[in-house]
Amino acid sequence: MINTVRNTVLSVLNKNNYGYLSPSDFNLFAKQAQLDIFESYFYQYNYQINKENARQSGSGIADLAKGIEESMDLFSVTRGLNQNTDVAGSYFMPSDTTTGSDYYFVNKVLAYKEIITVGTTTSFLAIGTRLTDSAQRFTTLGIVAGDIVAVETATMGVQYLTVVSVDNNTQITTTGSVLTAAAFSYTIIKAGTQQNEVEKVTHSKITMLNNSIYTAPSTTYPSYSSEESLLQVYPNIITSAGRVIAQYFRYPRDPNWTYSVVTGGEPIFNQSQPDYQDFEVPLDDENNLVMKILQYAGVSIREADVYQFANGEETKENQQEG
Amino acid sequence: MAYISQYQYYENGGAAPEDANWGSYQYVSLYDIVNNFMLMYSGNHNLVNNEERFKVLFHAKRAVQELNYDAFKEIKVLQLDITDQYRFVLPSDFVNWVRVSVYKNGLLYPLTENIQVNYAKAYLQDHQAKILFDADGNALSPEFSDIDIDRITGQKKSIYLNSGHSFDGYEGYCYNGAWYFTADVAGGWFALNTETANANPTFAIDKTMGVINFSSNIGSGSVVLEYVSDGMENGDDSKVHVNKMFEDYLYAYIEYAILQSKLNVQEYIVRRTQKRKSALLRNAKIRISNIHPGRLLMSMRGKDKWIK
């Protein structure tokens, strides 16, 4: 989609000799445009919900909220959170370094109600499927094939594996091949263990909530508050690797229109470049992308006509959608 | 909570204790109540929106407590031997008592609550009746007050017509030159105070101290206390449950409790939820009262009996 968008933008700009938009400028404007559209999903969704509550929206194919929700779900990610071992019950919020993507909005946090055991791997096989912990008693603990192994890796965040077989008291064979080093923190969870939603509580309430005799957080009704890049779970006995999972909306990846050679002064599009990145918003937003990039381009080249044209088109479209 | 198999129900799947699931089907758990409410009654298209789960949990627990106080017919029963101070320590989950009985010779004797106190706190006093204080300025108290000592040692007299009464066993007594009769001397009980006409031992509950104090004539009996709790199961949420007859009422109660304290909710909506809540409570109470034709029949069978 990115090449089509660029071609359309250039066509509009070139038609009236408004100027040329370099690939690097286009990529910058494309990023801004995509972010604008991405953020607008949340406002549009809320707007549509309000219209539904006012009985001004239909169902079936007239259900506009559903379409917006589908667009938002393209950015939905569910990942286990990395532990902050310095503080009991503390986990890192989703980020590029821990879960592989930064979060725009944490929709829900879940925690396994119970676990079987926790530990740290003491050795490994190159194949990466063996979980070995010389301090464990896997057979005695009743771990069976199908149980879940959450492993906090160094580079891939938390990975959820499945027990294939319990080889002996200190060794388990798992699915996947991530156990390629020792000293990985892991948690073993019984298959089918209930996950409970960890409720976000504001800082102004969390202290009182913890002191409440009726509603103090428990493993059945856990809570969390967040601060900087950390998420503090209550009760803080919820501590082990992979026990806490977040479903969040990540930011879209930065679009990158890549090219290989410049022929006749024109860069030739090449999507085989390793840093190529297409737009992630769905196809029905192509028009919005063009208009938004034109707005930015119009401002950039000081052409008020371009800006006004794009802005007017966008306003018209918004009115239709409303 | 998932449905369980017959084997799971009758024998707990072979695990101990075997009776863990007996009768469980009549109840719905607190977890299910909160989960169902959040799922069905809270959200973008519901009256309740943008409310934290802990508020729902709070109101659910409050509803369970209120139901336990008067609507549920779930009386807890505890039998304990009383201490040598003729005391019965209230159970840890005690909220209010229903009946206190003494169990003797295979029979339950319901006891009467003494209309007088039989316990008191006391302060140490000097010969001029001045209260004695410790170094921190707190009044010094003896272990027992005089009234406590008299009760424990059997010196305290009873106004009830039991073995602790001043004239127990007498057919008549002379007081200030006049004779009084308590027994059936002249063919009837004249001037009998029916409020105190009970031959059993009596008790008074010291709620602050958390004990039931019995009159000493109870001897070394075994006491059965029927009481109501608040259903909070000593803080173990997984054990908190309510009868399914009250399930819909609980949802209605939570909805009402949240809406009536929320800003900008129209009064007619608050009233609507209040009426719904009240109607469902009435329905549930009628259902739980178990008015069976069979029971009525048994009661009505006595109506033709001749009273001599």
Side-chain angles (χ1 to χ4, degrees):
Chain A
M1 181 164 65
I2 193 167
N3 196 41
T4 325
V5 170
R6 183 172 181 273
N7 288 341
T8 311
V9 168
L10 289 183
S11 298
V12 174
L13 292 176
N14 287 341
K15 188 179 171 189
N16 295 315
N17 290 324
Y18 282 130
Y20 177 71
L21 194 63
S22 69
S24 59
D25 280 352
F26 172 80
N27 285 335
L28 286 174
F29 298 154
K31 177 186 173 184
Q32 288 304 317
Q34 182 168 246
L35 274 175
D36 283 349
I37 292 168
F38 170 74
E39 285 196 328
S40 73
Y41 289 150
F42 294 85
Y43 294 97
Q44 286 176 40
Y45 184 71
N46 187 50
Y47 179 69
Q48 287 303 327
I49 292 294
N50 287 336
K51 291 200 79 166
E52 283 180 9
N53 285 336
R55 305 191 68 80
Q56 291 174 351
S57 181
S59 57
I61 54 173
D63 189 351
L64 297 181
K66 189 182 172 194
I68 299 166
E69 202 172 347
E70 283 172 357
S71 299
M72 292 159 71
D73 285 344
L74 293 172
F75 302 94
S76 172
V77 176
T78 301
R79 294 278 186 277
L81 299 182
N82 285 38
Q83 279 187 96
N84 169 30
T85 48
D86 294 339
V87 182
S90 179
Y91 289 81
F92 288 100
M93 294 291 271
S95 66
D96 282 333
T97 50
T98 58
T99 56
S101 51
D102 205 352
Y103 72 94
Y104 171 77
F105 180 80
V106 177
N107 191 38
K108 65 177 179 182
V109 176
L110 304 170
Y112 281 104
K113 190 179 180 195
E114 293 156 344
I115 56 170
I116 301 176
T117 187
V118 296
T120 306
T121 57
T122 50
S123 62
F124 67 98
L125 289 179
I127 190 172
T129 57
R130 295 280 167 78
L131 187 150
T132 308
D133 184 351
S134 57
Q136 273 294 0
R137 295 288 176 270
F138 294 130
T139 316
T140 313
L141 288 168
I143 294 163
V144 294
D147 287 345
I148 303 160
V149 182
V151 182
E152 196 169 307
T153 65
T155 55
M156 293 183 287
V158 175
Q159 297 288 315
Y160 291 90
L161 315 172
T162 304
V163 175
V164 175
S165 62
V166 180
D167 306 327
N168 53 50
N169 248 339
T170 59
Q171 183 179 293
I172 285 174
T173 301
T174 68
T175 55
S177 53
V178 298
L179 297 159
T180 51
F184 282 166
S185 295
Y186 69 88
T187 304
I188 301 183
I189 301 148
K190 198 83 193 154
T193 296
Q194 181 180 303
Q195 287 181 337
N196 287 318
E197 187 158 346
V198 189
E199 184 176 38
K200 164 97 178 181
V201 179
T202 60
H203 288 283
S204 59
K205 292 274 187 187
I206 191 69
T207 312
M208 288 178 280
L209 187 71
N210 279 323
N211 292 335
S212 163
I213 192 165
Y214 293 141
T215 57
S218 61
T219 52
T220 307
Y221 302 109
S223 301
Y224 78 90
S225 61
S226 59
E227 194 166 62
E228 294 182 335
S229 63
L230 293 172
L231 179 151
Q232 177 64 47
V233 178
Y234 301 96
N236 63 5
I237 55 169
I238 297 175
T239 53
S240 57
R243 191 167 176 184
V244 176
I245 298 161
Q247 184 261 320
Y248 62 96
F249 293 97
R250 63 170 173 81
Y251 280 104
R253 295 183 191 96
D254 295 349
N256 193 16
W257 187 87
T258 48
Y259 58 96
S260 49
V261 289
V262 178
T263 309
E266 272 295 313
I268 305 299
F269 178 56
N270 180 5
Q271 61 183 35
S272 304
Q273 295 286 342
D275 56 346
Y276 166 75
Q277 178 61 55
D278 200 356
F279 287 111
E280 291 193 297
V281 291
L283 198 59
D284 58 349
D285 277 312
E286 182 172 333
N287 193 38
N288 289 335
L289 282 170
V290 171
M291 294 307 155
K292 285 207 173 288
I293 294 169
L294 279 174
Q295 281 179 41
Y296 286 119
V299 173
S300 168
I301 58 181
R302 296 187 181 183
E303 281 296 343
D305 289 348
V306 177
Y307 176 81
Q308 280 166 8
F309 165 71
N311 196 31
E313 286 296 307
E314 193 184 16
T315 307
K316 268 197 285 183
E317 187 156 322
N318 286 343
Q319 283 170 350
Q320 282 171 359
E321 286 176 358
Chain B
M1 189 71 75
Y3 290 102
I4 58 175
S5 68
Q6 299 278 63
Y7 179 54
Q8 194 74 31
Y9 177 79
Y10 285 108
E11 298 188 14
N12 195 19
E18 185 188 35
D19 60 357
N21 296 315
W22 293 357
S24 60
Y25 196 71
Q26 61 193 308
Y27 298 109
V28 57
S29 69
L30 177 71
Y31 181 83
D32 284 335
I33 291 286
V34 173
N35 198 51
N36 290 342
F37 186 89
M38 295 301 291
L39 185 65
M40 297 296 175
Y41 294 90
S42 172
N44 283 330
H45 303 303
N46 296 100
L47 288 175
V48 175
N49 192 16
N50 294 335
E51 285 295 344
E52 294 96 339
R53 183 185 58 197
F54 65 77
K55 283 190 183 174
V56 173
L57 176 64
F58 172 78
H59 291 304
K61 284 190 170 182
R62 285 292 303 116
V64 171
Q65 286 180 315
E66 291 296 326
L67 290 174
N68 268 277
Y69 298 150
D70 58 5
F72 288 163
K73 298 201 162 190
E74 304 208 1
I75 306 298
K76 292 194 169 191
V77 186
L78 180 66
Q79 180 177 8
L80 286 176
D81 291 339
I82 58 169
T83 68
D84 53 2
Q85 293 163 9
Y86 305 114
R87 279 181 169 176
F88 182 107
V89 179
L90 295 175
S92 57
D93 54 351
F94 174 89
V95 172
N96 205 358
W97 65 282
V98 176
R99 186 162 43 200
V100 179
S101 311
V102 64
Y103 187 66
K104 273 184 181 170
N105 306 322
L107 278 176
L108 270 177
Y109 296 87
L111 302 186
T112 306
E113 186 181 23
N114 202 320
I115 56 173
Q116 295 182 320
V117 292
N118 61 7
Y119 59 88
K121 189 177 179 180
Y123 295 130
L124 292 178
Q125 293 170 287
D126 66 9
H127 64 286
Q128 291 179 312
K130 285 191 170 180
I131 295 171
L132 304 178
F133 300 93
D134 65 11
D136 298 325
N138 299 316
L140 294 166
S141 286
E143 185 179 4
F144 297 110
S145 63
D146 288 347
I147 195 170
D148 276 323
I149 292 170
D150 283 353
R151 181 182 61 79
I152 294 166
T153 56
Q155 304 296 311
K156 187 177 181 306
K157 299 300 179 188
S158 172
I159 61 167
Y160 288 81
L161 297 181
N162 56 26
S163 59
H165 195 275
S166 302
F167 300 104
D168 180 55
Y170 290 79
E171 290 197 339
Y173 53 90
C174 181
Y175 184 68
N176 282 346
W179 280 86
Y180 298 85
F181 298 93
T182 58
D184 187 6
V185 179
W189 287 83
F190 298 106
L192 174 71
N193 182 0
T194 51
E195 189 181 6
T196 56
N198 191 298
N200 289 328
T202 58
F203 68 92
I205 299 181
D206 185 350
K207 291 187 174 175
T208 312
M209 286 296 292
V211 293
I212 305 174
N213 292 306
F214 292 94
S215 54
S216 59
N217 53 350
I218 195 169
S220 55
S222 173
V223 167
V224 174
L225 170 66
E226 294 163 75
Y227 67 101
V228 288
S229 184
D230 64 352
M232 290 295 102
E233 303 297 337
N234 204 24
D236 186 350
D237 288 352
S238 67
K239 290 183 181 168
V240 178
H241 55 211
V242 293
N243 193 289
K244 283 177 178 168
M245 304 280 187
F246 291 91
E247 184 175 355
D248 226 15
Y249 164 73
L250 274 174
Y251 300 136
Y253 176 91
I254 298 167
E255 190 173 52
Y256 164 70
I258 289 174
L259 291 174
Q260 63 99 22
S261 62
K262 197 173 171 114
L263 275 174
N264 291 329
V265 178
Q266 296 91 330
E267 190 55 27
Y268 72 89
I269 289 177
V270 176
R271 290 286 297 159
R272 190 170 82 199
T273 54
Q274 186 186 35
K275 282 179 181 174
R276 179 165 172 264
K277 169 194 77 113
S278 303
L280 285 168
L281 180 60
R282 275 195 299 277
N283 280 352
K285 278 184 172 177
I286 292 167
R287 285 175 179 170
I288 207 81
S289 65
N290 277 343
I291 305 173
H292 293 301
R295 282 191 181 182
L296 285 174
L297 187 67
M298 288 303 288
S299 302
M300 296 301 284
R301 276 185 177 151
K303 75 183 170 63
D304 294 332
K305 196 172 179 182
W306 283 44
I307 300 169
K308 287 181 183 176

